[in-house]
Amino acid sequence: THAHLYVFTNEKGGMAGFDKDLQAEVIAEMSKGSSHYQHALKQDRKTDDRIAVMREKIAAMSELDRRNLSKRWEALKVAAGEKVELSRWCVVLDMDAFFASVEIRDNPTLATKPVAVGGMSMISTTNYVARQYGVRAAMPGFIGQELCKRQGVQLVFVDHHFNKYKEASEQMQNVIREYGDFRCGSLDEAYIDLTDAVRRRAGDGQTEEEAAELLVQEMRRRIEGVTRLTCSAGIGPTFLSAKIGSDYNKPNGQFLVPRELGKHLHWLSELRIRKVHGVGRVSEKVLGALGVETIGDLLGNGPEVLTAFSPGTASWLMNVACGVAATQLHDVFTPEHHGAVTRKSLSAERTFRGEENCEMLRAKCLELCNTVAEGLRAENLAAKSVSVKIKTVEFDVFTKCANSGLYLKSADEIAKLALPLLESYLPCKLRLMGVRTSSFRGQVAKFDPKQRRLDALFAKPKPVSATAAASSNGDCSTTAAASSNGDCSTTAAASSNGDCSTTACGDVVNGEDVVSVNSADQDQDSDTSVATLVSEMQEPELARAEGEAAQDVRTQATVACIANACAADEIQTPSPAARLCRASSFAVVGTSTGYDVVVCCGPKRCATWACDKCTFCNPGSRVTCEMCHFARKGSAPKRARITDW
């Protein structure tokens, strides 16, 4: 079966007990051979190829690689454990089958029938009667109709009435506003910080848990009284746990997520990985290939997860497994910013049956430009960037962007950029077109916490003290240690011939130059390697290898180590151009003669400069090594000037 290809096969609240085999059979029969089915198969094959490559990497992993990755995974776990906060009261309130419930409220004769809001092309919402037959939102209407038909009932379709949905949503929000600060994720969902209200209500023999449950019951009862609609809620210490909990007792129920750390982690560990907001069908399939079916399975598959995913994704998955999630509304909805305009973009899209008439497509593009221009005028915005998005009848999606030197407001100005972008695709047969504007005047500058900042790049490094001695026998032994106040004391001995036969790739991290290094020709199991000594330092600051504070301390320690370990090659201080690859921990430092001495500390420990095998320096990395890629072209000498790369 290929049911996993479709998002609408994932179970929603209120669907427990439906016939999954029948659903898979109907979906296969009615979608097989369609363009969407062929596209989904193609994307699925790409995922299979990715899994095959991943399995090859895991199979080729040495015992040393596995130990190193296990240490990294354990460091992530320690760092995540220090960030867990379970003291706040977060609530996610979700209206039950919102669109369908509004329609049934206004037409009670539909109450006992399977109802779908939408049409034969797409269903927006279904009521809980329809869900018992396996029909849900995001499912094509013709599939839902056939599912009901085979089970002896008729699916009733109802058109959208957004004015009624908006009115009911505003009534819901007016009630919630009396209980605390909140943000709406959509018309039917609200994220509420109930911490202050719970602590005010608790006391006189009433625990905070009891106060929270009573407050949420009261809130839900008042919403039902005003809107004549029911809602469900999840109550948890984080918004992620509350979001998951809101789906537990649907419809018209609530769920209190365990708050004590051990019980909370146990509850999380038993959840299927797909329950996590952010894990879709592709990630679910990749994790399933690693043997990860539940959140708890993540903890025992560290090397595999680090190999299959980027460092950022792996760190996020560890945070999920350890219960680290947003506890403040601004962490969920409002990133750090500067400026007056918080909107990121404004766009309009239209879906239609396959259209290949060029004049019709140009006309649709102009209509979209008019719609976007109306939106800009309504919000008093002006944009510099215009993008055109298309989806072909084969379901391939393409996007092109053009920038203007002036801010654009009118439909004609937008069309001057949008039409040439569309022309570059013609002739073609499309089923979707969109026009998007962005880069607004006065737009907020949103800062990604993972993105390095210029102020960090140009920050002065903290003072480092180092002592070096060179031995005449060519042996190289290095020792590093860090004091608790963040200062570094380092001792090193370096060979007198200064012969470093290694490779590297680079990127500046946290405004510093180097994080960790290891001699390329040093024995892999040696306990005296710089990387091992630095990574195994016992100070609390260094134990959190993935933390920013530890990153600074390790940087100072290893800068000194590198400088002194290569003292025989006339290295005095790390060059300002020295760079570090975050994925593989390869480091490059400058010499007084203007050349680079390159030191490799990746798991592969490349032994030569001209490495033609090291496409990915780190098994867990998806970043190609710039230096190795350069060397494969056959143009890299034993020593390369900084300007050469």
Side-chain angles (χ1 to χ4, degrees):
T1 178
H2 291 99
H4 69 279
L5 299 177
Y6 305 102
V7 66
F8 50 80
T9 59
N10 191 34
E11 188 175 316
K12 283 180 68 70
M15 293 184 71
F18 78 97
D19 192 337
K20 293 185 179 181
D21 293 335
L22 177 62
Q23 186 195 60
E25 179 185 330
V26 171
I27 291 171
E29 287 181 13
M30 304 200 71
S31 61
K32 195 169 184 178
S34 67
S35 297
H36 183 273
Y37 178 77
Q38 297 301 327
H39 175 74
L41 278 180
K42 181 172 71 174
Q43 297 300 110
D44 195 49
R45 284 193 290 269
K46 289 182 180 179
T47 304
D48 289 338
D49 292 342
R50 173 185 169 186
I51 290 173
V53 172
M54 174 189 74
R55 283 174 169 162
E56 288 179 5
K57 286 185 179 181
I58 292 172
M61 193 184 300
S62 69
E63 187 59 34
L64 178 63
D65 292 340
R66 183 171 288 276
R67 285 203 305 270
N68 289 337
L69 290 174
S70 295
K71 286 182 180 180
R72 283 178 56 192
W73 193 242
E74 189 62 29
L76 287 175
K77 183 178 178 180
V78 171
E82 295 177 355
K83 294 185 288 185
V84 176
E85 182 185 357
L86 303 178
S87 63
R88 299 190 66 81
W89 290 96
C90 305
V91 175
V92 174
L93 187 144
D94 189 15
M95 301 298 290
D96 296 325
F98 186 47
F99 292 178
S101 295
V102 171
E103 301 298 339
I104 293 171
R105 178 196 66 183
D106 297 342
N107 183 3
T109 61
L110 299 174
T112 59
K113 301 175 182 178
V115 176
V117 179
M120 296 298 285
S121 296
M122 186 59 61
I123 295 173
S124 297
T125 313
T126 63
N127 67 347
Y128 289 95
V129 178
R131 295 183 192 188
Q132 290 301 307
Y133 296 102
V135 184
R136 52 152 289 171
M139 177 178 284
F142 62 88
I143 291 179
Q145 186 181 56
E146 183 65 20
L147 269 171
C148 287
K149 181 180 176 181
R150 295 197 186 186
Q151 296 175 81
V153 295
Q154 183 176 355
L155 183 63
V156 179
F157 288 97
V158 181
D159 291 334
H160 295 93
H161 296 93
F162 284 102
N163 57 331
K164 295 196 296 186
Y165 311 149
K166 186 175 180 181
E167 180 185 1
S169 178
E170 289 172 351
Q171 292 172 337
M172 171 196 75
Q173 293 176 47
N174 288 335
V175 173
I176 295 173
R177 193 169 285 112
E178 299 180 23
Y179 290 86
D181 194 15
F182 74 99
R183 301 287 188 278
C184 282
S186 59
L187 285 175
D188 65 335
E189 184 180 61
Y191 288 69
I192 312 162
D193 186 348
L194 213 61
T195 305
D196 293 339
V198 168
R199 290 172 182 169
R200 284 195 302 267
R201 181 72 66 93
D204 296 329
Q206 189 178 72
T207 65
E208 289 192 359
E209 285 80 3
E210 293 170 340
E213 291 226 67
L214 289 174
L215 276 170
V216 173
Q217 286 175 0
E218 177 186 306
M219 188 191 313
R220 291 174 43 243
R221 185 169 58 250
R222 290 184 57 191
I223 290 172
E224 184 177 4
V226 173
T227 64
R228 291 186 290 138
L229 303 168
T230 64
C231 59
S232 301
I235 310 166
T238 68
F239 283 109
L240 174 62
S241 62
K243 170 67 176 174
I244 296 172
S246 68
D247 211 35
Y248 261 56
N249 292 321
K250 276 186 167 293
N252 198 22
Q254 62 187 55
F255 179 77
L256 178 64
V257 175
R259 298 177 61 79
E260 190 272 322
L261 180 59
K263 294 179 180 179
H264 184 77
L265 294 180
H266 178 72
W267 173 77
L268 277 174
S269 69
E270 295 184 333
L271 294 174
R272 295 195 66 79
I273 195 70
R274 187 68 181 270
K275 285 287 185 180
V276 178
H277 182 66
V279 175
R281 56 185 177 84
V282 174
S283 295
E284 181 186 34
K285 184 173 183 178
V286 173
L287 287 167
L290 298 176
V292 177
E293 301 291 341
T294 65
I295 294 177
D297 293 337
L298 286 168
L299 297 176
N301 290 274
E304 291 78 12
V305 173
L306 287 168
T307 301
F309 295 94
S310 67
T313 301
S315 178
W316 173 74
L317 288 170
M318 174 58 82
N319 284 341
V320 168
C322 292
V324 179
T327 60
Q328 304 277 357
L329 286 170
H330 60 76
D331 293 330
V332 181
F333 291 95
T334 311
E336 179 191 358
H337 65 270
H338 294 294
V341 178
T342 56
R343 177 185 277 277
K344 184 177 179 181
S345 64
L346 193 151
S347 61
E349 289 185 356
R350 293 292 181 272
T351 302
F352 36 83
R353 294 192 178 277
E355 180 62 69
E356 57 185 337
N357 184 296
C358 293
E359 290 304 317
M360 289 292 293
L361 292 174
R362 293 187 187 100
K364 288 183 182 293
C365 183
L366 291 173
E367 289 177 13
L368 292 170
C369 291
N370 281 320
T371 302
V372 171
E374 290 173 5
L376 293 176
R377 283 195 298 273
E379 300 191 30
N380 194 27
L381 297 174
K384 273 192 173 183
S385 296
V386 175
S387 303
V388 171
K389 170 186 172 182
I390 65 167
K391 182 184 288 185
T392 68
V393 291
E394 290 80 24
F395 288 85
D396 292 316
V397 178
F398 302 96
T399 304
K400 284 187 178 181
C401 178
N403 297 313
S404 170
L406 302 173
Y407 285 103
L408 313 175
K409 287 185 177 181
S410 70
D412 290 340
E413 292 171 333
I414 296 171
K416 284 181 181 178
L417 292 182
L419 283 174
L421 295 176
L422 175 63
E423 291 291 341
S424 67
Y425 294 117
L426 299 179
C428 59
K429 190 172 184 178
L430 305 181
R431 70 183 316 274
L432 178 144
M433 184 189 302
V435 173
R436 181 172 74 107
T437 54
S438 57
S439 300
F440 299 120
R441 179 188 287 130
Q443 183 172 347
V444 158
K446 296 183 179 178
F447 299 138
D448 182 346
K450 298 177 184 177
Q451 178 67 47
R452 295 183 300 280
R453 302 265 294 276
L454 284 175
D455 53 2
L457 174 64
F458 293 112
K460 292 183 179 180
K462 297 177 182 178
V464 177
S465 61
T467 305
S471 65
S472 58
N473 59 8
D475 293 334
C476 188
S477 63
T478 306
T479 306
S483 65
S484 59
N485 61 6
D487 291 336
C488 251
S489 173
T490 307
T491 305
S495 63
S496 59
N497 58 18
D499 194 12
C500 289
S501 177
T502 52
T503 187
C505 64
D507 202 355
V508 179
V509 175
N510 291 333
E512 306 287 355
D513 297 53
V514 186
V515 173
S516 64
V517 297
N518 191 11
S519 174
D521 46 1
Q522 189 174 351
D523 182 68
Q524 291 185 353
D525 291 322
S526 173
D527 291 333
T528 60
S529 69
V530 175
T532 302
L533 288 167
V534 172
S535 64
E536 292 184 351
M537 290 178 182
Q538 297 302 309
E539 282 75 1
E541 294 88 346
L542 298 179
R544 294 180 288 116
E546 300 296 329
E548 292 182 1
Q551 193 86 325
D552 291 338
V553 177
R554 294 182 69 194
T555 296
Q556 297 168 37
T558 50
V559 164
C561 290
I562 297 169
N564 294 291
C566 300
D569 208 5
E570 299 181 343
I571 292 183
Q572 303 302 321
T573 58
S575 163
R579 302 193 294 174
L580 169 74
C581 171
R582 288 171 297 171
S584 59
S585 299
F586 281 83
V588 182
V589 294
T591 70
S592 59
T593 56
Y595 290 90
D596 285 343
V597 170
V598 188
V599 183
C600 170
C601 68
K604 293 296 183 184
R605 309 252 170 103
C606 308
T608 60
W609 172 275
C611 171
D612 59 356
K613 297 179 181 178
C614 183
T615 304
F616 296 90
C617 296
N618 185 305
S621 169
R622 286 188 283 176
V623 180
T624 302
C625 173
E626 294 176 8
M627 293 302 293
C628 294
H629 177 73
F630 183 55
R632 284 204 306 276
K633 296 178 180 178
S635 55
K638 181 110 175 175
R639 296 279 200 278
R641 292 183 182 276
I642 293 174
T643 54
D644 289 340
W645 56 283

